[in-house]
Amino acid sequence: MLMSVVLIPLALGLLALAIPWKGLRRGLLIIGGVSHGIMTVVLALVQKTPPTAGAWIGLDATGLLFLSITSALFLAVAVYTVGYLGRDSDRRVRDSVEGFLFRNEPEAIFIACLLFFLASMSMVCISRDMGLLWVAIEATTLVSAPLISFHSHHRSLEATWKYLLICSVGIALALLGNYFLAYAGHGKTHLKLDNLIAGAATLDKAWLKAAFLMLLVGYGTKMGMVPMHTWLPDAHSEAPSMVSALLSGALLNCAFLGILRGHSILSAAGLGLFSGELLVFFGMLSMAVAAAFMIRQTDYKRMLAYSSIEHMGILALGVGIGGLAGTGAMLHAVNHSLTKGMLFLVSGHILFTYGSKKTDDVRHLIKTAPLTGILWVAGFLAITGAPPFGTFLSEVTILKGMLESGRWFVAVGYSLVLGVIFIAMARIVIPMAFGLPGQEKSFEPPPVNQRAPIWFAGPAIAMAAVILALGLYIPGIVWNFLGQAAALAGGF
Amino acid sequence: MNMWTDIFILGLVLTDFYLLATSRLAAVIQTTVFQALALSAFMLTMADRPWPLLLVFLALVTLTVKGVVLPWLLRRAMREAGVQREIEPIVGYSASVLIGMVLLGLSFIIFTPLKASISHESAFLLPAALFTTLTGLMMIVSRKNALTQVAGYLVMENGVYAFGAALAVEEPLLVEMGVLLDVFVAVFVMGITVYQISREFDHIDTDRLSELKD
Amino acid sequence: MNIMASIVHLFLALILSPLLMGIINRTKAIFAGRKGQPLLQPYYDLIKLIKKGSVYSATSSWVFRLGPVIGLASVIVAITICPAGGFGGMLSFTGDFIFMAYALGLMRFVTVLAALDTGSAFEGMGASREVQFAIIAEVVLLLGLAVLAIGTKEISLAGIYAGLWTNSVSSLGPVAVLVAFAFLIVLLTENARIPVDDPNTHLELTMIHEVMVLDHGGVDLAFIQYGASLKLWLFSALLTGIAIPLRTGLPLTDMAVNIIGILAVAVLVGIIESGMARLRLLHVPQMLVTALSVTVAALLWILR
């Protein structure tokens, strides 16, 4: 039954490749999203026993957390995609940056790859064997490459090539880390996560450290950690917005899960300080570099991409410090995924309305498309951690965790960078929504129909509502669950 | 047993130098085939006789995928893109070989502190495997031709695989097959992308894919 | 016994080395389908040249006249310490392999000096090309010998070659193969053979070694040609000592095997010359760097 979260999307994807009817194909997306969501809920309620030792797959708290994030996001994206394909799929589209006409790739491949993507990400969440985890993460890279090159023009091909090559190289290094792990286990543990954690005291320390380094660099490439992040802005800005939403909201999390598994093994072996410090270092680095690149950003989708890098840095930072910060990081994963997903969907509609990716071309969003404008501003507030949204709560929790652990320097740096990012993003988003002062007279609404279609408005509003709710009240059960997830991820 | 290990290691190191020195795409692809062959043969000689059936099966599958299917894919991409040779790389060929020497020395130095924890047979094998991985990385970084970069990825995978063989890591069959499948699909997807790039750009010089930047 | 063997080897080298050139030419002729020169043609050429007089240009000085003499002298000295398949040269001493490399270097140096002394840009071009390749080739030669020295733990050529195949064979096997391959490339480079330099060409853009000796005539040219054949013998002896894994301990057998090996190397060079074309000048350093990398790999192997 656990495998159903993988097998159902896989089967639906294969079906999508086979059938020729457009409507049914798109419907498969919705069916996939809904069934996956139902299975996740069922598994959450049913799976009470911890995974058995030596099992290939199993669902623990961390895995369940990331699985549910993926599921929710996919459902929203599926609704959006059906409408998007209905509008954009068969006609020749005019490129927003250079103005040439291009075709999109076949819809069947796109839908099938989306479903395969869901299947492989689910596999990442439920695998209890590091080798299987590796296979699944590599699979996510491969099936998401056609998603990024949906618009078949030269910029998206460039982005796809960078994505493919950089991530494949990173993941090859992670495979090396796997071999180091297996060697550290003296041939007895065979890369099974539960065996490794149970027998952690007997593992060879030097090889474990080398293994974690490789896993960090390898899966960190996939996650968008600086300095391996160079593929991220290009891929996220050239892919269609719902693909960017999935990449930012779900894929980066799954790559982080790989690092978390490594961290949990090292913590069990007593090397938690080593891996934690590495995570803190790379987290701070990612945040700082992302802030630097966001300051003069002229493309709002790239801005969102750098924001993803920053938030992955926050996640790494939180888990690296551990304790309360770890729990905060888990909450932050949920908040970030939903917020970033919503933001990308909104940016897709902005692109459609204004026909440009440059922030300077977008003005007076509130007047032109009120719903989009409100969501855009709300999303900006949410992603930068302003109350009353959920991200405020998670970022403050991480800060509290830092102060509790006595990491003053890190706390100061963290707050500083968050402030810089707020200002940088505000400089971009506020003029987009409200226009610059003194430009009121020259305002002309763009000619396209600006009413937000239901397939966009629905998911976006739903996600915004959840984030708002998370900021206002989190029930005790959820806190306990998050704490469990953090503890299993190596937070001590 | 030791002699086979020595021959294998030598072959690996020499083919790596050859990869760094050559500019012909066909030679690069042929060398990756040779490395895959050597790896499969080595895997078999390292195991105890009688060979378990699964091991033979795995070796045969590795051989087929890496020795037949992947080169065929790459050669097809080469034909469709119409390129035979590497264009001027970022680092010249002599310089690449000299850097390769430095990398080989580095690989040895890195493994000196870990000497105590390794068995004697792997003492030279691990640096050779690391050197192969670094060669693959070097090919990806310093060459401009997209197909050479794909071949570099294959060489990297060979190096990591050699690591696995050197550490005598016993992966369950499922994982090994999964790894192979992933590598196959990776090269497949990369081949398709190279074809699309060559059709879109009329060249496969990745150094000229530099439009997206901050 | 050993001294006798060494002296016999020295005389054989002095007498038989022009034959190597003849063998190379004959091999090339056979491959080309021609009948080719007589095997003893180089001897006839040497005798003819000795009987001739020389013409010296007004712009050249005593350096030009001294070049061939010192060149021949240095290569004869190198031959005296050249090992003969398990037996040392007549005058072998500790650390003599460095001396040998320097003797060969001296030969190259005076040849280059003589070439520059003519004052012609033609010879200068050849000299610069020759020295450019020598930079890498000398490193490969010395490094290869150093590898063998480390492997056999001996520091004289005699000791190295004696101990090469009598010690633990398995550990030195791969190293010997690598070093032999590198030495083959050095042989082709130092003796100006294809694929580095075509000994038959006299086109301006393609000459390297030939152009340096273009202005010599008569006895000087005889010295140079004889010196070149001695150098070829020397390198062939070095290569044969590594490549043929036979050390019976009986001087006659070893000597005979060595001589046969040297003749076989000459045939091999002839085959390589017939099979390959000359490399572009830009690619020759690449080939040498490849030889260097092979030697470095052998060095790292032996140091593990």
Side-chain angles (χ1 to χ4, degrees), chain A residues 289-297 302-304 306-308 310 421 424-425 427-428:
Chain A
V289 169
F293 274 95
M294 231 194 285
I295 292 181
R296 285 245 166 233
Q297 200 49 249
R302 281 184 90 94
M303 171 192 82
L304 291 177
Y306 280 113
S307 167
S308 293
E310 170 226 340
I421 290 179
M425 258 188 137
R427 266 181 89 240
I428 300 174

Side-chain angles (χ1 to χ4, degrees), chain A residues 28-314:
Chain A
L28 283 178
L29 265 181
I30 307 280
I31 297 176
V34 168
S35 56
H36 192 262
I38 294 177
M39 281 314 303
T40 311
V41 170
V42 166
L43 284 171
L45 295 173
V46 165
Q47 290 268 69
K48 287 300 177 210
T49 57
T52 53
W56 280 97
I57 54 176
L59 202 59
D60 63 353
T62 329
L64 181 59
L65 178 68
F66 286 110
L67 186 64
S68 30
I69 297 175
T70 309
S71 191
L73 197 58
F74 189 82
L75 188 53
V77 163
V79 175
Y80 183 91
T81 308
V82 169
Y84 176 86
L85 287 175
R87 185 189 72 196
D88 259 2
S89 181
D90 282 331
R91 61 193 183 101
R92 304 201 78 173
V93 189
R94 188 163 287 281
D95 179 53
S96 56
V97 174
E98 284 163 52
F100 52 79
L101 288 171
F102 62 88
R103 276 221 106 92
N104 289 327
E105 74 178 13
E107 204 183 287
I109 298 182
F110 187 64
I111 294 179
C113 282
L114 272 177
L115 287 163
F116 290 149
F117 195 40
L118 180 65
S120 43
M121 281 196 288
S122 311
M123 182 62 113
V124 173
C125 296
I126 66 173
S127 80
R128 302 297 293 172
D129 177 279
M130 295 298 281
L132 194 61
L133 183 73
W134 185 90
V135 171
I137 292 189
E138 173 82 6
T140 62
T141 311
L142 299 173
V143 298
S144 49
L147 293 177
I148 296 181
S149 62
F150 179 60
H151 301 308
S152 317
H153 56 68
H154 59 270
R155 284 194 326 271
S156 70
L157 278 178
E158 179 185 334
T160 312
W161 183 251
K162 281 186 192 170
Y163 172 70
L164 255 184
L165 215 54
I166 297 180
C167 287
S168 296
V169 168
I171 296 182
L173 288 177
L175 184 61
L176 198 56
N178 267 357
Y179 284 137
F180 285 169
L181 256 186
Y183 193 71
H186 308 297
K188 292 196 210 77
T189 46
H190 284 293
L191 284 183
K192 292 276 185 313
L193 192 60
D194 303 304
N195 292 349
L196 280 167
I197 293 183
T202 61
L203 299 173
D204 187 314
K205 298 264 190 296
W207 284 101
L208 263 187
K209 287 189 186 175
F212 182 73
L213 206 57
M214 285 291 144
L215 286 177
L216 185 61
V217 170
Y219 292 140
T221 310
K222 202 79 219 293
M223 184 177 145
M225 262 181 171
V226 172
M228 292 90 63
H229 68 289
T230 42
W231 59 271
L232 216 155
D234 300 338
H236 281 64
S237 66
E238 291 305 320
S241 15
M242 66 283 208
V243 175
S244 304
L246 268 180
L247 286 178
S248 272
L251 187 56
L252 301 187
N253 280 344
C254 290
F256 188 49
L257 190 59
I259 300 181
L260 283 180
R261 298 293 188 211
H263 183 52
S264 62
I265 298 176
L266 257 79
S267 303
L271 292 170
L273 210 58
F274 171 76
S275 46
E277 286 308 304
L278 273 178
L279 280 171
V280 167
F281 172 70
F282 276 104
M284 285 298 309
L285 190 61
S286 304
M287 284 178 73
V289 169
F293 274 95
M294 231 194 285
I295 292 181
R296 285 245 166 233
Q297 200 49 249
T298 53
D299 179 334
Y300 52 84
K301 279 180 100 170
R302 281 184 90 94
M303 171 192 82
L304 291 177
Y306 280 113
S307 167
S308 293
I309 298 178
E310 170 226 340
H311 284 279
M312 286 299 125
I314 295 179

Side-chain angles (χ1 to χ4, degrees), chain C residues 186-202:
Chain C
V186 170
L187 187 154
L188 293 173
T189 311
E190 291 274 0
N191 294 291
R193 297 272 129 204
I194 290 179
V196 176
D197 179 18
D198 188 354
N200 290 332
T201 180
H202 284 88

Side-chain angles (χ1 to χ4, degrees), chain C residues 140-154:
Chain C
V140 177
L141 177 67
L142 274 173
L143 207 56
L145 288 173
V147 168
L148 293 177
I150 297 175
T152 52
K153 298 189 180 31
E154 300 268 359

